[in-house]
Structure formats: structure tokens, C-alpha cells
Amino acid sequence: MPCSMVSTPSSRTTLKLTVPRTDNSLLVAPSWQELPCTLACNQAELAKGSLCFLGKSEAELRNEARTSVVCAAQAYLDSLGIDQSPQSADGPILMGGHQPTLFHPGVWVKNFAIAELANITGGTAINLVIDNDLAESTRFNYPDEVNGHLKTGAIDFGSRLIPQPWEELSVPAESLLDDYADALSSLLGKWDVTPAIKSVWQEACQKAPHNLSQIFTTARILLERQLGVNNLELPISLLSEEEPFLRFSLHLMVNIERFRSDYNQQLAAYRHRNKIRNEQHPVPDLAVEGVWQEAPFWIWKAGATHRHHVWIQITDEAILLSDGTEELARIPHPNATSPEQAIQSLAALAAEGIRFRPRALTTTLYARLFLCDLFIHGIGGAKYDEVTDDLIREFYQHEPPGYLTLSGTIWFPLHRNIDVAAEDMESLKDQIRDLQYHPDQHLSSAQQETARTLLKEREQLVEEQNGYKNLSKEEKRHASDQNRIRFQRLKEIARELTLLVAPEQKRLQAELKRLEALWEERQVQINREYPALFYPVEKLIEFTQHLQDEIRIGFSAS
């Protein structure tokens, strides 16, 4: 059947993605049935590439990048002491990525998807660990119960974290690392739950004892191995030091003026399509300050907690790199020496303790164009990659390869259900409001008898009021005092009638308060953000098997 780019938003459209909210639910776009076509189209489109990257054809760079990422990922797992059978870059490469935090099942589901897709297609699954992103918290929520009511609890590692890149995050000295899984198990014991993290935590701490992000990553990988997932893994910190990535980055910097223009134009188009006024969203424009131009990378010194935007100055002889306050490197211009010498100079930054890393859009640009046949995004990544799509079209002269958007939700097994609906609370609010403004419509037969005189007087006053509206301006001026007295009397009658329905109003308000308290408990019950490794492994197996079944059925139906 003919192929079309089924998952690629054009420059004139915007993605409409909704977070799945019910238990064991998935968001998949495009459908599993469409993926074989998307994969084939991506491969055909990428094969058309004809750009030159500092002396290498696009096809050469892509082949080298794919081989490099597979080898580097296998070496990374070897460094952690995690067994992995040899894998190849010859078949399809399925890829996803996320920060090395303890993320929720809706994120983790991507890892199982690329694993299953690799099994079906005979390909290789690689997860990119985005360890150049900021770690802003190591405090994680869990469902708790206080005095019989559901509440959100939290468990933390040591003192408050200073935001810093994940790759720099050491284990807090005061954290009770060894006891973390046991402490969490104790907290979740009231739900008869043994968190999945307990079976892998001690081994993870032994394999990566000095860096918290690596402990989190290793724990996740070990659990995935227990569940039959054998993806390759590679942190961005290591990917950034590979020769193909450095060539890609150097090519971008050499062409920074055109890249910056296309980048900013596509951001402006995205903001216009989505009616966004904030110029910092989804990311800021690339700026210019005199002879310095901003490039889409991060730079900082090893051990620092703050990342800086890369600023470059291009001369005939060199590319100067700055963090905005001081010059940190001077790279020979490829045209003045050779691309290889320039790349070697850029690679040498690592030995000098200088971190050179891609920003978010740059990461997915490189991954989608050079590393993989299909990239899997969550909802947030899919939204900002609308910009990446248009940048690929403009700067790299490609129809962008399609990507899959995937997310999911499972509820923590609390063995209790809080049954309350938002519609019930809105109905009560409407009733309370109606009692306030139309008490006469809610009187019982006995109350109507009690209020007969008031109601008759009110009826007479309303009739007079309606007559007043039909008077001429001069007649209204003469009757203004009378009208004011009538208005005040109508207010007094309304207050007296309201007193008659006050008991019912009080009852409804108490019921609303009860439902609102239940609603707060329900949010604890249906919260999808609890870390996946806090769930019992049985719940995770159920969810991932549901995903794998959907993928197999979809592929067989295509």
C-alpha cells in the first residue's frame, strides 16, 4: 500500500494530544497499524539525504552515527556490569529517551514499546538517558493514608537539592541510600504493596555508588531486565563525546547564521499556530550580541551546578566558544585546517573538564536524522518537535521522519475506590446558587403557606416594578423615591425567604464539603505521576503486557 508521513504535523497544523486518564489506558499516535508504513517511509526519506557534513556525505555520517551509538551504548552497559548480547546497527533502530529520574509509568511505557518494536522488526532498541538536563528535585510522591483519608506523601534523598545537571549529581552525603528501598516498602506496606524498586535497589547502589542519576538509571535497567526488556542505553553525556555528534555540531556552528534564522522563524510560526505570546515557550529564540551568536548547546565546567548557553564567534581561523561570561575554547575553523582537526579539538574539551552538550531540540534533531528509524516521544516532546519538523524541512532540506507519540496511565493499587464525580459537585454548586437567588422556587408546601403574605407582597411589588419600567423619563423621575423604597423592600423579602431555605442550603453546603474532600482523596487515587518503580511488579507486568499485545495486534493487522 502507498506510504504517507502519517505522524508528521505540517507547518500549518498543530498536534492535539490528550493525556490518558483512566486506569490501564494508552495514548498512541499514529496507531500501531500505521507504524510499519511510517517506519518504511522514514527509511525511504532519510535515504534521499544529499547534504554534506564537513567532507562527509549525509549517508556516510548517518551510518557512522548509528554504528557509533550502538557501540557506545553497549560499552556503557558493560561499564555498569550489565550483561548485554551484541547488537547491530544494520536493522531498524527504535529510540526514545528521558531524564534519569524515577519517572512515572506513562514515561516508562516508551521503553517497553521500543523493545517490542525491535523484537518485531528485528531491530535494535536504544534509550537515551538525558543526563544533561537539570535535576531539580529528588523528592518523590507516593499515596499515603492519614486518619483514614488518602493523602499524598513524599520521600526524599537528604536535604533540598540545588538544581544541577543530572550527570553532576552525586549521592547526597546525608541520604540513607542503603535504606531507601526498605523505607519506601515500609511506607507502602499499608497497601500490601512491595515496590518493584526493592528487588533491584541494592544491586544498583553497588554498580553505580557515586552518582544518583546512574543509580536511578541502573535500578530501572535491572528491573527492565527482570521484565524481559533488553534495550541498549546511552547517556547524552557520552553521546556528546562521539565523533559523529561532534561533526554534526561543528557543521551546525559553521552555518550558525542560517541555522539561527531558520530556528527563530520556525519558533515564531509555532507560537503563532498555537496562539502563544510568551517568547520563552517552547524555548527562547537564539540571540545575537555583537559578534557573538547563540548556538543550541549547553556548556559548563565539570562539577558546576549551572549550565550556560553556548555563544560562538566565528573568524576565518577559529570558532570561539563562550558561556556568556568568558571564552572557554578556541576551535580551529574546519576551512582553515581540516574538519578532522577541528573535531579533535572539540573532542578535547572533555579532557579539559568542559562539558559541551546539546539542548533539547538539538538532541532530537540529531537522533531523528542520524541515529534512528523511529523516535518515540511522550506528549511534551511531541509538541515541541513540531518545531523540529519544520527546522528539518528548512535547514536540512528533508521531509521530517515521522515519530510516535506514546503515553499511558495506570493507577496505584490502593484496593479502594473513591467514587465521586466532578458533575456531582457542579450540580450541588448550582443548587446552592439557585437557593441563594431564587429561594421562592424551593419552598416546601408548608413554607409556602408560612410565607404566603410575603410572596403576595413580592408579587405585587414585582408587578409595580414592571410598570415602572414602562414610565416615561419624566414619570420615572417623579417616582424615583417610591422605586427606591420598593427595591429595598424586595431585597428584605428576598432575605426573609432565604432564611426559610437556610437549613436546606446548609445541608447542601455540608454535602458539597464532603464531596470536595472525597475529590481530593480521589486525586490521590488516580494520580498518574507516582514513580513506576514504586508500583508492585505485578501491576507493571499487567500494564506492559497490555501494551505489547496492542503492538503485536496492530502490526499483524497492518
Side-chain angles (χ1 to χ4, degrees), residues 287-289 292-294 309-313 320-324:
V288 177
E289 291 188 6
W292 292 93
Q293 302 186 70
E294 186 181 0
H309 292 179
V310 169
W311 292 84
I312 63 173
Q313 180 184 344
L320 283 60
L321 272 64
S322 167
D323 63 1

Side-chain angles (χ1 to χ4, degrees), residues 397-543:
Q397 302 171 29
H398 263 295
E399 188 60 24
Y403 54 84
L404 176 71
T405 305
L406 178 64
S407 188
T409 292
I410 54 175
W411 295 349
F412 199 91
L414 300 178
H415 311 300
R416 59 185 290 191
N417 182 48
I418 307 299
D419 187 15
V420 61
E423 294 81 3
D424 296 337
M425 292 188 294
E426 289 305 314
S427 175
L428 281 174
K429 290 176 183 177
D430 289 342
Q431 292 178 57
I432 292 169
R433 191 162 39 246
D434 208 44
L435 282 170
Q436 177 71 29
Y437 294 106
H438 305 287
D440 55 299
Q441 297 177 13
H442 298 274
L443 298 175
S444 66
S445 299
Q447 288 173 327
Q448 288 178 2
E449 186 64 29
T450 301
R452 178 185 296 178
T453 302
L454 280 177
L455 291 171
K456 189 170 184 62
E457 182 183 1
R458 179 180 178 277
E459 183 179 351
Q460 178 63 36
L461 291 172
V462 169
E463 186 178 338
E464 291 175 7
Q465 183 71 19
N466 291 334
Y468 175 82
K469 294 177 182 177
N470 297 322
L471 297 178
S472 66
K473 288 185 178 180
E474 182 64 21
E475 289 171 326
K476 285 181 178 179
R477 187 174 64 83
H478 287 296
S480 62
D481 289 345
Q482 209 173 15
N483 183 62
R484 185 165 51 253
I485 293 170
R486 181 170 53 246
F487 178 73
Q488 290 298 325
R489 180 54 186 157
L490 282 170
K491 288 177 66 177
E492 290 170 1
I493 291 173
R495 281 195 293 270
E496 291 182 53
L497 292 174
T498 299
L499 289 175
L500 292 175
V501 297
E504 176 64 7
Q505 192 174 44
K506 185 176 180 180
R507 185 189 70 79
L508 292 177
Q509 286 171 338
E511 177 63 9
L512 177 60
K513 185 176 180 180
R514 186 185 72 84
L515 291 186
E516 286 175 338
L518 286 176
W519 181 258
E520 289 183 7
E521 291 193 70
R522 180 165 175 78
Q523 302 321 298
V524 177
Q525 176 195 344
I526 67 174
N527 187 346
R528 65 190 294 271
E529 303 289 333
Y530 303 127
L533 270 65
F534 286 14
Y535 285 68
V537 69
E538 298 82 9
K539 182 74 172 179
L540 298 174
I541 290 173
E542 177 188 347
F543 185 47

Side-chain angles (χ1 to χ4, degrees), residues 351-368:
E352 297 169 14
I354 296 174
R355 316 290 202 206
F356 177 79
R357 307 288 187 255
R359 281 150 71 175
L361 290 182
T362 319
T363 299
T364 52
L365 264 177
Y366 181 62
R368 290 174 61 196

